[in-house]
Amino acid sequence: MSPYVSAAWLVLATAIAGSCADGEITFKKIQLTQEFWAEGAHVGDFNHDGNVDIASGPFWYAGPEFKIRHEIWPAKATFKKGAETIPGFEGAFGANNAYSDNFLTFTYDFNADGWMDVLVYGWPGTPVAWYENPKNKPGNWERHEVFDVLDNESPDFVDITGDGKPEMLCCSRGYLGYAEADWKNPAGKWTFKAVTPKGNYERYAQGTGAGDLNKDGRIDILEKDGWWEQPAAGQADSSVPWKKHAFKFAEAAAQMLVYDVNGDELPDVITCVNAHGYGLVWWEQLKEGDGAITFKEHIILNKDATPNAQGVSFSQVHALALEDIDRDGLKDIVTGKRFWAHGPSGDVDPNGPAVVYWFKLTRPQPGKAEYVAKLVDNNSGVGTQVTTAIVSNSKYPDIVVGNKKGAFLLRNQGR
């Protein structure tokens, strides 16, 4: 595995500010590549040099400069973003490798050897594999295929069972559930556990999330049409589905986030309305007279092209993350426009600016919440994943994305 300098590496020293009452957060954009390899990216110190690196598609980029990239697995042909179009998008969309086979990327030390490995969720409906870090030895990383069919477009890698280790939150063969490893043999096949009856959880299904909505100490699973309550210990392994609480959160969600937005000690839900359309909302949890959970909608971005009160509107909100961007103790929303989700003429406003925003959470008074939109960048966007992590600044989290425009590090410069 010979490192080499990527000719496409660009440093775009564009600092775009989002003003805050107590200071200004700015970002500096680093473009790792112009090539389209993946719809996501993640981070880890892959070579044990003490610097955080970035993995996106078949490469990892060595920090802190990210000028040198290393191959994880054999890289196949992809497409470069030109001035007018991407070759392969003309005519029948999807031909000639127009889509990437890498939808989401996660990092984890699967075999507990002290070296960070890379997990890849490929094209919906295809197998999942993790790649074993070779510990600075030359050559491609060993591939371990651990799950046969992962459907849906916004799966996650999160601890569902409460054992301190992550599971694959996903749909598979018509069911919603999670796949978990035998951690004595993490390279073996993972076991899928359905939490729902078989239903409309097909390939390309939109929207999943996880969080303890009812505050019983157990992680529940969310979908666009409701949430599934995890049963008490000893019952979760049974063949009986979890209890569904029907609620229409979205038409076609992406990642669904659980967080107490307004500080009333009740977990709320944050979601896009339509990952291929418009709309970003948070659903305030309320308790009915009998103690049942219901939700009240609060609009952050309108459900059509109409700008919100701050003049902000963008479509294809296909990736969301929670992060305290300004380190004020409140978790903000990080999202943006997925560039060309279905090509240059698909969806709505496909050629609008590929923006990335963070929405600063404020609590103007007890029990109330408002989000203030802060532009990070207007020419990068998100894919089906947006990652936030400490990369270049020991205090402030950065934003990492991969999509059809390439791969980017949006460095948080702090105030």
Side-chain angles (χ1 to χ4, degrees), residues 8-252:
W9 184 84
L10 299 174
V11 178
L12 304 180
T14 304
I16 299 178
S19 60
C20 301
D22 55 349
E24 186 177 271
I25 293 289
T26 62
F27 288 85
K28 179 180 178 180
K29 180 167 68 176
I30 305 295
Q31 185 162 5
L32 282 63
T33 179
Q34 287 181 306
E35 298 169 329
F36 170 40
W37 292 107
E39 294 280 4
H42 218 275
V43 305
D45 180 3
F46 300 120
N47 58 356
H48 275 205
D49 67 351
N51 296 306
V52 179
D53 312 307
I54 296 174
S56 184
F59 300 104
W60 67 271
Y61 300 80
E65 297 299 327
F66 307 100
K67 294 180 179 180
I68 299 175
R69 73 183 187 184
H70 306 255
E71 194 176 73
I72 301 173
W73 65 86
K76 299 178 181 179
T78 188
F79 299 106
K80 296 181 180 180
K81 177 68 173 70
E84 300 296 333
T85 187
I86 294 179
F89 281 110
E90 302 94 339
F93 185 72
N96 302 321
N97 196 31
Y99 274 126
S100 166
D101 59 359
N102 185 317
F103 260 48
L104 294 95
T105 299
F106 297 94
T107 55
Y108 193 75
D109 181 7
F110 289 96
N111 55 0
D113 64 355
W115 293 74
M116 197 66 72
D117 308 303
V118 172
L119 175 71
V120 173
Y121 292 173
W123 186 263
T126 62
V128 175
W130 64 270
Y131 293 81
E132 184 175 348
N133 193 318
K135 305 177 186 178
N136 286 334
K137 295 178 183 177
N140 290 138
W141 297 23
E142 184 177 0
R143 182 178 188 269
H144 302 285
E145 187 174 306
V146 293
F147 190 54
D148 54 356
V149 177
L150 185 146
D151 294 314
N152 71 297
E153 295 189 13
S154 303
D156 207 343
F157 190 55
V158 61
D159 184 7
I160 302 291
T161 62
D163 65 353
K165 294 182 179 295
E167 287 82 38
M168 299 178 199
L169 170 61
C170 62
C171 302
S172 184
R173 292 189 170 93
Y175 297 90
L176 173 62
Y178 59 93
E180 62 179 346
D182 173 1
W183 289 105
K184 295 179 181 178
N185 180 28
K189 295 298 183 182
W190 291 31
T191 302
F192 182 73
K193 297 187 176 179
V195 307
T196 71
K198 191 167 186 178
N200 192 30
Y201 303 106
E202 79 288 349
R203 192 179 187 184
Y204 313 118
Q206 301 275 175
T208 52
D212 184 5
L213 274 177
N214 57 356
K215 299 186 69 175
D216 64 358
R218 298 184 293 273
I219 297 297
D220 309 303
I221 292 178
L222 292 78
E223 54 156 302
K224 65 183 181 64
D225 294 316
W227 60 281
W228 294 84
E229 180 181 348
Q230 182 168 169
Q235 300 178 22
D237 291 334
S238 72
S239 59
V240 178
W242 294 9
K243 180 180 179 181
K244 182 177 183 180
H245 301 265
F247 191 87
K248 186 72 173 180
F249 287 113
E251 297 174 15

Side-chain angles (χ1 to χ4, degrees), residues 304-320:
D304 57 25
T306 306
N308 68 2
Q310 299 163 52
V312 177
S313 174
F314 57 89
S315 65
Q316 302 185 65
V317 189
H318 210 305
L320 298 93

